Amino acid sequence: MFDTHKLNEKGFEEVALLKSKMADACEKALELMPEGREKAVFKTHIETAMFFGTKAIAGKEGNFTEIVRY
């Protein structure tokens, strides 16, 4: 459950692409929103989504060099 996948070069590239595309999309979305609770919640959920997106990419076959098991 708490295993860690150590990314290889391909994995790093895919994570970088995900983060870059999401950063662009979020920047545009955040410009439309006024400051407030809803914007803060939006940002929190995006951070959570990015965590799980990165975790999914790291666990994809061919994107890691080893698995550290706990």
Side-chain angles (χ1 to χ4, degrees):
M1 176 177 202
F2 299 111
D3 297 344
T4 300
H5 294 78
K6 292 191 175 183
L7 291 172
N8 59 21
E9 190 62 35
K10 182 176 180 264
F12 275 115
E13 290 171 7
E14 288 189 14
V15 167
L17 180 61
L18 171 68
K19 289 184 176 189
S20 174
K21 297 291 185 181
M22 285 299 292
D24 291 344
C26 287
E27 184 178 322
K28 291 181 185 346
L30 289 169
E31 289 172 358
L32 300 171
M33 298 177 204
E35 293 301 321
R37 182 177 181 278
E38 292 85 359
K39 186 174 184 176
V41 171
F42 174 85
K43 289 164 75 174
T44 299
H45 284 284
I46 291 297
E47 288 174 345
T48 302
M50 289 306 299
F51 170 81
F52 284 106
T54 301
K55 182 175 172 56
I57 289 171
K60 188 168 98 176
E61 197 63 43
N63 282 356
F64 57 89
T65 58
E66 68 176 293
I67 301 172
V68 179
R69 303 205 184 272
Y70 297 96

